[in-house]
Amino acid sequence: MHSLKIHIQDPDAAEEGSTQAVKAQQRLRELILAGHLAAGSRIAELALVERLGMSRTPIRVALMRLGQEGLLDALPGGGYAVRTFSEHDVADAIELRGTLEGLAARLAAERGVSPVLLQEADACLDQIDQVMRQGGLDDEDFSAYVRLNACFHKMLSEMAGSAVLAREIERASSLPFASASGFVGVQASKPDARDLLVVAQHQHRQVLQAIAQREAGRAEALMREHSRIARHNLGLALQNPQPSVTPGVQLIKNKR
């Protein structure tokens, strides 16, 4: 009889491999969005091994994940290339995220939200108000806004009480440029930058109020309208593409 050998994977080794894959994914995303890997270019796996100082396994996992995320195209003969986008592609991604967030707002209003979560969301908006009270917004203020804005949108997705919907919103938001703060950086150099953020913050307050008052239709409509600000910022970004201001904007190659 042949003895049966059972190989049990070391949990620590598995965790380390997962951590390395996440790091590779982050580093590779940064290279793409910063323009260090040109749009349309094929990704050389061995070159990444040398450039990132990692083994091939986490890099292969990172390439697969970025393909799923939408930053890379899988090539017929194997391997990946940096994807390019049209303005239409990006607009559709923003619309998808807005539609899902609108659904989350409607379900939250219909199902009701715990007072604790409403208070936490309100406190987050209070912190945004504090940032907005500054006379002029510098890079640090914009960074704070982006962080708090992302936090508020995440809480909104949780208010629906649907793990399925929260997961789909996260997936949609990971599409290039589709996140709630995807184009906020464009506003930093605009004279009316603060005014646009004030409008967005007013919409935040209105959405939260509609949810608290169980006004489902109003909450959904407000959230859908809120996503149009990102669409407006897309237009601004394409008027004067600056990767340093809007990382990845160089990947948008044509109008339609």
Side-chain angles (χ1 to χ4, degrees):
M1 292 180 62
H2 296 287
S3 62
L4 179 63
K5 295 183 179 180
I6 300 176
H7 297 279
I8 301 176
Q9 187 177 19
D10 183 351
D12 292 336
E15 183 177 352
E16 182 180 353
S18 177
T19 300
Q20 287 296 304
V22 170
K23 287 181 179 178
Q25 184 180 353
Q26 292 173 339
R27 291 281 303 281
L28 186 52
R29 186 190 293 111
E30 290 169 359
L31 289 174
I32 294 171
L33 295 181
H36 297 308
L37 296 174
S41 65
R42 181 171 183 141
I43 302 290
E45 188 177 297
L46 288 178
L48 287 178
V49 169
E50 183 176 345
R51 187 167 191 168
L52 301 183
M54 297 181 178
S55 66
R56 297 181 70 169
T57 299
I59 287 176
R60 285 176 176 170
V61 174
L63 291 170
M64 180 186 68
R65 289 177 179 172
L66 289 176
Q68 295 170 343
E69 189 175 302
L71 271 180
L72 300 177
D73 275 328
L75 299 174
Y80 294 87
V82 179
R83 187 179 173 190
T84 58
F85 303 86
S86 70
E87 181 181 351
H88 201 151
D89 291 332
V90 180
D92 285 350
I94 293 171
E95 186 71 18
L96 174 60
R97 192 255 302 166
T99 299
L100 291 172
E101 288 189 327
L103 174 59
R106 177 168 67 81
L107 291 178
E110 289 177 348
R111 296 172 176 177
V113 179
S114 73
V116 172
L117 187 51
L118 287 173
Q119 288 171 6
E120 289 176 351
D122 190 60
C124 179
L125 295 184
D126 286 343
Q127 291 182 64
I128 293 178
D129 284 339
Q130 189 64 38
V131 172
M132 302 294 292
R133 288 194 184 99
Q134 307 302 320
L137 300 179
D138 57 21
D139 290 344
E140 185 176 341
D141 294 326
F142 271 96
S143 295
Y145 178 88
V146 167
R147 175 177 56 80
L148 292 168
N149 184 54
C151 179
F152 178 74
H153 278 259
K154 182 172 178 57
M155 281 191 280
L156 278 182
S157 72
E158 294 171 353
M159 287 180 185
S162 169
V164 172
L165 183 54
R167 183 169 60 249
E168 292 307 313
I169 290 174
E170 183 177 3
R171 189 195 305 273
S173 297
S174 73
L175 294 173
F177 321 106
S179 73
S181 300
F183 289 98
V184 169
V186 177
Q187 297 171 280
S189 59
K190 299 294 180 181
D192 60 347
R194 188 178 179 283
D195 294 340
L196 291 173
L197 294 183
V198 167
V199 171
Q201 175 68 345
H202 176 70
Q203 290 176 337
H204 288 158
R205 290 286 187 191
Q206 293 297 304
V207 168
L208 191 59
Q209 180 189 69
I211 291 173
Q213 295 178 350
R214 311 292 293 272
E215 298 172 344
R218 179 167 171 257
E220 181 174 20
L222 284 166
M223 208 62 216
R224 290 287 298 273
E225 182 62 28
H226 183 62
S227 70
R228 304 295 164 82
I229 292 180
R231 181 66 181 84
H232 171 74
N233 288 339
L234 168 62
L236 294 178
L238 294 180
Q239 288 174 16
N240 183 25
Q242 298 181 57
S244 61
V245 175
T246 310
V249 71
Q250 75 280 356
L251 301 177
I252 307 175
K253 289 300 185 184
N254 53 64
K255 284 288 185 181
R256 295 292 174 187

